[in-house]
Amino acid sequence: GAGRALPPGQSLCLASRYPPEFALHTVVVSRGRGMGAGGESESVGGDDLIDASDVPLFPNSLPIKKLSVANVPPKDFERDFIDRAVPAVLTDVVATWPCAQKWTLDWFAENHGETQVSVDDGTTEKMRCSLKAFVELCHDDDDARQTTQTSVASTSHETTPGDALTPVVTTPGDESTPVNTKNQRLVPYLRTWNFLDDLPELEKDIEQNGPYFRDYFQALKQSWRPPFTWLFLGGKGVSTKLHVDVWHTDAWLCSLQGVKKFVLFHPGHLKYIFHEGTEQFVDLQNVDHALFPDFHKAVPIETTLNKGETIYLPRKWPHYAVSTTPGVSLTTNFLSSANRRNVVQKTVDFANRKDACETLLGRTLRASDNVLKFCVHGGRVRLSDAAKVMGVTCTTLQDKMNKAKRDRLMAEQTAAEGE
């Protein structure tokens, strides 16, 4: 809530706190560990199921500029924002996309209700259910909030009409309802859904390489492109913790239904919001001032993303998001012209790992395959773990690896003899 963003007695001077690099629109290079894919972090960050009453409020925040495509040509937007890694919101860039006219929770339930999805429901294992059942859960939760509202205002601080606090909902006697540590109702969340795996026909409804967000991943052959397009569907209160995106890529996210609040921090303020020892970002819902004693020095950049609006999230900028209404969001992490040099090696490594895994498995990987996370993030994997992920025995996997090695050597020998 509002009382948790700053410690008692702390205040900020915006002019002196924000680094001059932001005013000059330059990029500060930072370590920025804990990268995630479309909001899904590796070891720090990630997504949570919270009550919307926990939306953090920052009296010291700066706004994000909102523009219409009628007032900023694509080349100007790229030069002034993407090349300089400056966040911005385009209010109408997706207005002509078919998805902007159709994709809502109810539309997915009515048109693709039988599609099976994995949903976060507050339990250790994700809940497997149909889209129709998931949407019903979202509506049930929203109905419960409207009929069982209770005040979240603490007697320890006052609220003003400008405080956009959403009431806490409790469900006394409902022992089957998932609850969090605050004994509040949890919100179902379908996050980082690789929807094109399940519904490939929806690709025609989106524009992945438009003039405002030119994506150089799209210039690669299909098998080399990382699967960085996702949907987020959920009820009021679902959130994504503070994180930095995968491969330090740029991203755009549009709200096709509902409203989201975003909080971003300049990479130059990473030292105030990221703890090197524990490799974790600050929890904006519950700031640990002992672990982050200089958090008050960080200046948040905030915006409310309304239906139809698209936010540009620059590379290396830590960001947080929370839905203040039920909704649907579409996002893509893209390779900008300004960032190609920094990402090319990661792309090559990804393509090599993906090719090796597909050779071993004897099939094309789906974006939602667990093994594809290894292809994206890299690292070393024990044979037994790899075999488990691939659904084969260690012996079978070893045989596949040996055969792939022999086939590759024979192909190289044949090619050499032909020269």
Side-chain angles (χ1 to χ4, degrees):
R4 290 185 243 170
L6 296 172
Q10 283 286 6
S11 62
L12 293 180
C13 175
L14 299 184
S16 63
R17 294 300 186 186
Y18 218 78
E21 288 83 354
F22 181 69
L24 296 174
H25 291 178
T26 59
V27 179
V28 175
V29 177
S30 63
R31 296 178 68 181
R33 290 179 291 182
M35 294 181 294
E40 184 178 24
S41 67
E42 297 175 62
S43 58
V44 297
D47 296 276
D48 239 356
L49 298 167
I50 66 164
D51 194 275
S53 62
D54 283 333
V55 175
L57 300 176
F58 298 97
N60 60 303
S61 66
L62 297 175
I64 293 178
K65 190 171 185 178
K66 292 193 175 187
L67 311 99
S68 168
V69 295
N71 300 322
V72 55
K75 288 185 177 179
D76 291 354
F77 184 80
E78 183 174 30
R79 180 195 65 220
D80 296 339
F81 296 95
I82 297 179
D83 287 351
R84 298 173 179 177
V86 176
V89 171
L90 289 171
T91 59
D92 49 4
V93 71
V94 302
T96 60
W97 297 11
C99 63
Q101 316 303 323
K102 300 187 296 185
W103 293 10
T104 64
L105 291 171
D106 288 339
W107 182 87
F108 277 103
E110 293 168 6
N111 292 275
H112 304 284
E114 300 307 312
T115 301
Q116 295 294 304
V117 292
S118 296
V119 178
D120 283 322
D121 65 343
T123 59
T124 303
E125 298 294 332
K126 289 187 177 183
M127 175 179 63
R128 192 72 177 168
C129 67
S130 67
L131 267 177
K132 182 178 181 180
F134 163 72
V135 171
E136 288 175 352
L137 284 174
C138 292
H139 288 324
D140 288 347
D141 180 85
D142 197 40
D143 290 342
R145 290 172 182 272
Q146 295 182 36
T147 57
T148 61
Q149 291 181 349
T150 59
S151 174
V152 299
S154 169
T155 56
S156 62
H157 70 277
E158 295 181 357
T159 59
T160 66
D163 287 339
L165 296 179
T166 304
V168 175
V169 176
T170 58
T171 52
D174 186 2
E175 301 297 329
S176 64
T177 302
V179 294
N180 62 13
T181 55
K182 299 178 185 178
N183 198 34
Q184 297 167 352
R185 186 186 184 97
L186 286 172
V187 187
Y189 199 13
L190 175 53
R191 62 181 178 89
T192 55
W193 176 29
N194 297 109
F195 65 100
L196 293 178
D197 273 357
D198 302 313
L199 304 170
E201 66 273 19
L202 295 188
E203 187 171 13
K204 67 181 185 299
D205 288 351
I206 64 177
E207 190 173 304
Q208 292 183 292
N209 192 26
Y212 284 89
F213 302 110
R214 289 193 300 158
D215 186 0
Y216 285 87
F217 283 139
Q218 299 300 315
L220 303 174
K221 66 179 184 179
Q222 182 71 41
S223 61
W224 287 8
R225 299 175 197 169
F228 289 169
T229 295
W230 301 272
L231 274 175
F232 292 81
L233 284 71
K236 180 191 300 183
V238 294
S239 74
T240 300
K241 287 184 178 180
L242 198 61
H243 67 283
V244 176
D245 275 353
V246 61
W247 294 2
H248 284 164
T249 47
D250 298 88
W252 57 261
L253 182 145
C254 62
S255 175
L256 301 175
Q257 177 191 5
V259 179
K260 280 195 171 189
K261 176 177 179 177
F262 277 85
V263 181
L264 291 74
F265 292 90
H266 190 283
H269 284 194
L270 189 70
K271 58 188 175 182
Y272 306 134
I273 60 174
F274 182 77
H275 190 266
E276 293 281 351
T278 60
E279 295 192 343
Q280 66 180 9
F281 280 98
V282 64
D283 182 351
L284 296 183
Q285 268 85 43
N286 188 20
V287 177
D288 184 343
H289 292 288
L291 196 60
F292 299 94
D294 292 328
F295 175 69
H296 63 280
K297 297 179 181 179
V299 178
I301 314 297
E302 290 189 84
T303 193
T304 297
L305 195 70
N306 298 308
K307 180 181 182 299
E309 296 181 337
T310 302
I311 185 171
Y312 162 59
L313 300 166
R315 52 200 174 273
K316 301 182 181 181
W317 279 65
H319 52 278
Y320 157 95
V322 60
S323 297
T324 57
T325 67
V328 176
S329 300
L330 172 69
T331 186
T332 289
N333 283 71
F334 67 98
L335 179 56
S336 63
S337 176
N339 200 30
R340 283 184 293 179
R341 182 174 298 180
N342 299 323
V343 178
V344 63
Q345 188 57 52
K346 295 181 183 296
T347 307
V348 171
D349 293 341
F350 162 77
N352 288 335
R353 286 190 290 263
K354 183 170 180 282
D355 179 67
C357 290
E358 289 182 338
T359 299
L360 291 175
L361 289 172
R363 64 174 177 85
T364 301
L365 290 177
R366 288 162 49 93
S368 54
D369 283 337
N370 284 329
V371 71
L372 203 63
K373 293 181 180 180
F374 162 72
C375 298
V376 169
H377 299 294
R380 299 181 65 86
V381 180
R382 291 183 300 180
L383 183 67
S384 58
D385 292 337
K388 184 177 180 180
V389 170
M390 294 182 179
V392 299
T393 65
C394 289
T395 301
T396 300
L397 179 56
Q398 187 67 64
D399 290 343
K400 284 178 172 287
M401 292 171 63
N402 292 337
K403 182 178 184 303
K405 185 176 181 179
R406 289 194 302 270
D407 291 345
R408 186 173 65 252
L409 291 174
M410 290 181 64
E412 291 175 357
Q413 181 179 350
T414 301
E417 292 173 350
E419 293 179 353

